[in-house]
Amino acid sequence: MDRATQVIVFRLGDERYGVEISQVREIIRPTQITRIPNAPNFVEGVINLRGQITTIVNLRKRFGMEAKPIDNDTRIIVVEHDNAVIGMMVDSVNEVKYLSEKEIESLPSIITSRSEAKFLKGIGKLPDGLMILIDLNKVLSDDEVEKFRS
Amino acid sequence: MNEFGEMLQEFIHEAREYLDAMNQELLNLERGDFDAVNEVFRAVHTIKGMAGFMGFKNLENLCHKLENLLGEIRDEKIEINSDLVDILLKAVDKIAEIINLIENNKKDEIDISDILSSLESWKKSCKENKTSENQNLNLDADFVVDIKIADDCLMKSVRAALVIESLKEFCKVVSVVPSEEEMDSTNFNGKFSILAKGDCSKIDEVLERIAEIDSYSIKPLSTREQTKEPKKDSNVIEEDKLKIEKVETREKEEDKEAIPEKKKSESVRVNVSQLDKIMNLVGELVIGKGRLLQIASQYDIAELKEAVSILDRAITNLQDEVMRIRMVKVERVFNRFPRMVRDLARKLGKKVEFTMEGLDTELDRTVLDEMTDPLIHLLRNAIDHGIESPEERKALGKNEVGKIKISAKRERNNIVIEIEDDGRGIDLEKVKKKAIEKGLISESSAASLSNEDLISLIFLPGFSTKDTASEISGRGVGMDVVKTTVEKLGGSLKVATKKGEGTKIRIQLPPTIAIIKALLVNVSNETYAIPISSVVEALYVDSTNYKVIHGNPFIIVRDKLVPAFKIKEIFGIRNGKMEREVGIVVEKNGEKYALIVDSISEQQEIVIKPLTGYLSKVKGFNGITILGDGRVVPILDISSLIGGDNF
């Protein structure tokens, strides 16, 4: 049998992105965000998620896209990474999809080696179009942050 | 399996404690405290026993060899000198290395042949005169116990060791045939004899208690009877008992390894992570309490207020108690310093007398852990840069042996750690030259710098007066790291130095950090917390006392100019001008600064939560907290906030 991956599909601008469901803890609506001055520009701030301080990353800014004000569709995808809980702010969360292995195509290194594409893990081919699978480790790791800033 | 894991943890903990003690005692031994050898012996013996039980053969073997050598030292067959202590310390290091390996891989497979052979070779040098003395000892025994251990016993040598240990509880074991060494190495068949001196009346009782002993017999030794002839049987025992008791008390020091257990201490071992969890939960409680207090006053419910006040008291007590549990003696970290100082001094060919004071001063575990590396760095500096070589010292008319002292004490609400040496002091001219060379200051500005300013240069990142970074100092932990660590913990650091006379570094630390009192201030629609400990006073700021001089804002506090920082500007908060603002005067390194905010909302107890991930490197903040109403508020860190741009 084909091993299927379950992904959460979200939207940033005109693109559809997917993140593996096993890495996602919950999806919440934006609450009051406390800004942290001097933080990296893509860090929106922190929230109190049931007593736990959670850093919110604006994925638009992280991907070098233009920021967009929070609206009714804005969601925060809470993920666990490296023992830390981080929230990724996205335009909207649409659905959960099953992807079989053959529906996922990895990207050639000529693309992933380019800095603006380094967060990409592969392309998911769905009947109604393509979807970009993101690599959480790369999106959220500290080394990348360093490189990103310098 | 789980149980084994727990046992392993216990074993590692305990072994580390013994290793600490061994390091300490070996240094005492070198200093001429002969009794120390017994302490070391006892520690090695215990580790050996535990290792044997846990099945770490390599470790057991090493301990065994070390124990043998120590035995020779104890019997005064080997002279103690620094080279011998070096080898013993190396063996201790090896054991520590094996323990680390066991912790990580649950295995003790590591090459120990080097250390074994150096231990052996020391022992051999004294082998010749050993045999004759052994004979003498034999004559000293009162009785012999022949023991046969059951054939189906799995670890006969361990069982035999247990028997020997048990006998040591009440009589002096003179000799064992075959020797413990032989039991371990050759195919030990379970038969052995113990020659002992003292009270034989309890042997039956003790041996009955030990499982897997096939048979045993006790025979009094004729040689002993000859010397004690005139006494009658029962009397002999009575008399002997008295005598033995006296002997035992006299020999207590010498025979410590025979005392089976240290006196029972009324404590339990708790995992550090559990303690942290409790601390976090208490933190949550404090937050919850804050929320209840808020509701009580918001709705003005008398009953709730009363209930909350009772809860408040309990939580405060709980918090105090947990804080106290978290306190550890500085001894825990200081204990490894003598060894380090000694090794380093020897390596550099320097003579150092190292003293420690205030070992039982208590400090929060986190604070102490954070301070360990900086303290090591400062001590290294003192030996490497501070203390001169013996020749140089002699030429200067100083005592050849340099002095380094580390002390800890409580001063009002702070813990003060001082490191002092009587070395050459900091050469300020050299510091100045270096700083100019490195482009840290300009030549023209260097001339106008005061001595204090010059000293503060050594805390700049990338500063080191030694031309080549030696292996000793200069491992990346610079003085700048020492300083930032101290300041991050909410402490401060002062250096006093006199050329040719020495250097004294004074570190002031808060005893605890997790829960603090803070002032909550509003800036536009944002709220920030300022630790009360750094606040001196607060005052209204308006056009009468706010001045901009040469582009730098100041406020006038009682006719004095205090540099001011507008939080609004530092944090890039856009907001219209307020008519009246509030200046919070804070102190940092004895200097006053003012932070200008819109208003003060209240004073509250807050729980510091660390900033993690992306935010761990953000300057200007100490952490973050959650208030009673669920709001998240960043905590300002005065030193990085002010120091960040100006220094």
Side-chain angles (χ1 to χ4, degrees), chain A residues 99-119:
Chain A
L99 277 181
S100 68
E101 230 162 300
K102 60 172 185 273
E103 282 173 311
I104 300 174
E105 199 156 305
S106 56
L107 288 165
S109 61
I110 191 153
I111 293 183
T112 49
S113 62
R114 279 169 39 212
S115 69
E116 67 269 25
K118 63 176 178 252
F119 310 122

Side-chain angles (χ1 to χ4, degrees), chain B residues 272 328 332-333 364-374:
Chain B
V272 166
V328 286
R332 208 181 65 129
V333 162
D364 187 274
R365 197 181 54 79
T366 328
V367 179
L368 190 60
D369 284 351
E370 288 275 327
M371 280 310 297
T372 307
D373 283 342

Side-chain angles (χ1 to χ4, degrees), chain B residues 173-231:
Chain B
V173 172
V174 176
S175 164
V176 184
V177 186
S179 73
E180 284 185 72
E181 199 177 340
E182 282 164 317
M183 286 185 201
D184 283 351
S185 52
T186 57
N187 290 326
F188 175 51
N189 63 1
K191 271 189 207 161
F192 66 104
S193 311
I194 301 169
L195 289 151
K197 181 175 144 187
D199 179 10
C200 64
S201 59
K202 281 199 197 126
I203 290 183
D204 282 321
E205 190 191 319
V206 169
L207 292 183
E208 291 299 338
R209 271 208 317 256
I210 299 169
E212 297 185 303
I213 292 181
D214 224 19
S215 59
Y216 68 91
S217 62
I218 307 165
K219 284 179 248 159
L221 277 185
S222 49
T223 43
R224 183 71 188 169
E225 274 174 358
Q226 272 162 17
T227 52
K228 282 259 170 188
E229 224 170 1
K231 305 276 181 191

Side-chain angles (χ1 to χ4, degrees), chain A residues 1-6 98-101 104:
Chain A
M1 221 187 82
D2 218 357
R3 256 179 0 116
T5 321
Q6 220 177 341
Y98 283 93
L99 277 181
S100 68
E101 230 162 300
I104 300 174

Side-chain angles (χ1 to χ4, degrees), chain B residues 478-497:
Chain B
M479 286 301 270
D480 60 317
V481 176
V482 174
K483 190 180 153 121
T484 41
T485 309
V486 170
E487 286 179 352
K488 202 177 80 198
L489 293 169
S492 63
L493 186 145
K494 261 186 204 144
V495 182
T497 185

Side-chain angles (χ1 to χ4, degrees), chain B residues 246-261:
Chain B
K246 264 185 218 150
V247 169
E248 287 257 337
T249 44
R250 211 178 346 106
E251 286 178 349
K252 225 167 198 149
E253 290 303 306
E254 189 183 307
D255 228 328
K256 258 192 182 149
E257 96 278 12
I259 297 167
E261 195 84 38

Side-chain angles (χ1 to χ4, degrees), chain B residues 354-398:
Chain B
F354 181 60
T355 47
M356 304 195 288
E357 269 175 25
L359 288 180
D360 49 9
T361 310
E362 289 186 328
L363 204 55
D364 187 274
R365 197 181 54 79
T366 328
V367 179
L368 190 60
D369 284 351
E370 288 275 327
M371 280 310 297
T372 307
D373 283 342
L375 288 178
I376 288 176
H377 181 76
L378 291 174
L379 284 174
R380 279 194 180 129
N381 267 350
I383 306 164
D384 195 15
H385 305 307
I387 301 291
E388 310 90 334
S389 64
E391 301 77 46
E392 203 180 330
R393 289 184 68 93
K394 224 174 189 175
L396 289 166
K398 283 178 168 182

Side-chain angles (χ1 to χ4, degrees), chain B residues 454-627:
Chain B
L454 283 172
I455 290 173
S456 63
L457 287 175
I458 63 172
F459 295 113
L460 290 181
F463 185 89
S464 164
T465 43
K466 274 245 160 153
D467 295 314
T468 47
S470 61
E471 180 205 341
I472 293 101
S473 14
R475 278 203 207 159
V477 194
M479 286 301 270
D480 60 317
V481 176
V482 174
K483 190 180 153 121
T484 41
T485 309
V486 170
E487 286 179 352
K488 202 177 80 198
L489 293 169
S492 63
L493 186 145
K494 261 186 204 144
V495 182
T497 185
K498 210 162 188 191
K499 205 176 167 186
E501 284 178 30
T503 307
K504 182 171 174 177
I505 293 167
R506 183 189 156 96
I507 299 168
Q508 195 169 312
L509 294 165
T512 173
I513 53 162
I515 298 180
I516 58 164
K517 277 213 166 80
L519 211 56
L520 298 181
V521 298
N522 298 323
V523 186
S524 178
N525 55 354
E526 296 181 1
T527 306
Y528 295 95
I530 303 175
I532 279 278
S533 59
S534 48
V535 174
V536 182
E537 62 183 309
L539 69 167
Y540 284 116
V541 176
D542 51 33
S543 55
T544 59
N545 58 0
Y546 180 79
K547 296 274 179 292
V548 177
I549 301 168
H550 202 66
N552 297 314
F554 287 91
I555 61 169
I556 301 161
V557 183
R558 281 183 294 279
D559 293 339
K560 279 200 152 179
L561 284 175
V562 175
F565 296 83
K566 286 205 162 194
I567 295 290
K568 234 176 249 178
E569 282 166 20
I570 295 176
F571 289 165
I573 301 164
R574 267 160 293 163
N575 196 31
K577 240 188 135 71
M578 296 271 293
E579 255 173 51
R580 203 163 68 161
E581 291 169 314
V582 175
I584 313 278
V585 181
V586 294
E587 203 176 58
K588 180 208 167 198
N589 285 349
E591 300 280 337
K592 282 181 180 158
Y593 302 90
L595 305 177
I596 297 180
V597 299
D598 288 355
S599 62
I600 297 175
S601 65
E602 57 181 318
Q603 184 182 320
Q604 224 183 62
E605 246 177 19
I606 57 168
V607 181
I608 301 181
K609 298 193 171 223
L611 283 165
T612 53
Y614 298 123
L615 301 175
S616 57
K617 291 186 194 95
V618 175
K619 277 208 166 166
F621 301 99
N622 222 324
I624 204 155
T625 192
I626 298 177
L627 299 183

